[in-house]
Amino acid sequence: MTVSPDVIDVLTPLPVLIPLFAAALTLVAGRRPRVQRFITVVALSAVVAVSGMLLYLADRDGTSALQVGGWDSPIGISLVVDRLSAMMLVVSAIVLLAVMVYSIGQGIRDGNENQPVSIFLPTYLALTAGICNAFLAGDLFNLYVGFEVLLAASFVLLTLGASADRVRAGVSYVMVSMVSSLIFLIGIALVYAATGTLNLAHIATRLDDIPTGTRTAIFAVLLVAFGIKAAVFPLSTWLPDSYPTAPAPVTAVFAGLLTKVGVYAIIRAHTLLFPDGSLDNVLMVCGLLTMLVGIFGSIAQSDIKRLLSFTLVSHIGYMVFGVALSTQSGLSGAIYYVAHHIIVQTTLFLVVGLIERQAGSSSLRRLGGLAAASPVLAIVFLVPALNLGGIPPFSGFIGKVALLQAGSAQGSVLAWILVAGGTVTSLLTLYVVARVWTKAFWRARADAPEGGLADNSPSALLDDSSDIQLADREDVGRMPAFMLIPTVGLVIVGLALTVFAGRIIDISDRAAADLRDRSVYIDAVRGAEFVGDEAQASVVGDNTVDRIAGEEAGK
């Protein structure tokens, strides 16, 4: 059975349009928090359903493109759905819905009269639209628009409550993001000057005629812009200082998704626009340093949020490693690892929010005895922690093995160095999460250096907590069901990546094959118009040859 192209055309823009429309409705319903919550949950649930349908269609029927407004490329805006973009949409939509339910359970849904609740939900929906737009974008400028929507929404979410720490982190984040956006704009200008278009499919065909040095320089500019957003070393120092200050659900969605948008842009640019591998060695070195610097930084941390922020940076290195191999197996491993890491990293940051609510702190200097106090919380932490550490048979182990096998198959000296670096990073990650388990869950709290101190209450949007004696702390240790349920749900999704690893890797293999064969993407975007152009060019060329031959005969 074949689905009508009209159905695909209707579904393609919905992951962007649904959250934008819902954001407008939630603004109108700003004084009615229950209506806001209902609209948001329904909208994000719809995005999950539409994204799942798009993945099914993309995997069954291949890549499809929608020319918005009926304007053919490269004049109009192209929205492209292939296996990679659809897979990213599905995983992102699941995470966005889970985090939203978690935030409702945390009390953001109503909080108190001082909580800036009315702006949180529409901003979160705008963030969703920006993420989905970035994954669907078929031209560089539309990708830039998606990044800017992300920047605007993330700045608002990062500084909610306007505490000194959050404003300081928000200013730092915005300054770095603005530099990244400026570099991206320079890259867009260079691409347009060289090719005369910003449509990715058209750029891919025209860059082949550009001198190698110019092409490499353009790629380097774009890599710097995308590398900042993906937190690739040495462009990653901003992240550990920015994310830990935000509210727990904001930190979770930032850690899970925002850096992966940058990784997605690197994958798309590398495979579609610059497949010659001219900067693969540079990417490999950056991937190795990202792994090692990130994990060594996490070892030195005593706060779980900062510790996880450094592990986030570290594991971006695995994804860059897979891309830099320039092989189908490397790309497939990178795609699977992106999906795994989005789920697991988000889950762990949500667990940190539960720890703060249960124990009044995320500092290892204050925590202890959580395994006895809350066995459920201990299990909810342990499963994704072991997954992140790469313990078999979890998806983290499967993804790392796939990448290490791809590296050994590639066989270069640098690839083998990264295989060794990836193995060391995995072992150190396991050490880091074991350290958190030992200090926060296993030892008695009385043995912690500052075990007698705690925050007076868990904060939602406003960061207004203060240190008090643990014995004087109000009874806020109970975990609301709507905080625990989505966290457990993401743990289950992480386990599903293990149970259904074979099927998911099959999809990632097919996605990698599509990425390696650029004609799949180009033909979907340009279609009959591309064939017509090629035929016309062939006719013009034949006529020119005939004319020249006739002139020579006349002479």
Side-chain angles (χ1 to χ4, degrees), residues 158-172 241 245 463:
L158 197 63
T159 57
L160 282 173
S163 68
D165 288 341
R166 289 183 183 177
V167 171
R168 189 181 304 111
V171 170
S172 173
D241 291 328
T245 63
D463 186 15

Side-chain angles (χ1 to χ4, degrees), residues 5 8 69 73 126 136 156 165 173 184 220 226 246 253 267 281 310 326 338 349 377 388 430 448 510 529 536:
I8 300 174
S73 63
L136 292 171
V156 174
D165 288 341
Y173 172 79
F184 191 11
F226 299 151
V253 78
I267 294 174
N281 287 342
F310 275 100
S326 289
V338 168
F349 273 101
L377 180 59
L388 184 70
L430 184 59
R510 291 191 288 271
E529 172 261 337
Q536 184 178 1

Side-chain angles (χ1 to χ4, degrees), residues 354-371:
L354 295 176
I355 291 174
E356 288 180 321
R357 189 172 188 90
Q358 176 76 24
S361 179
S362 61
S363 173
L364 293 177
R365 295 182 58 83
R366 298 185 178 184
L367 295 176
L370 286 177

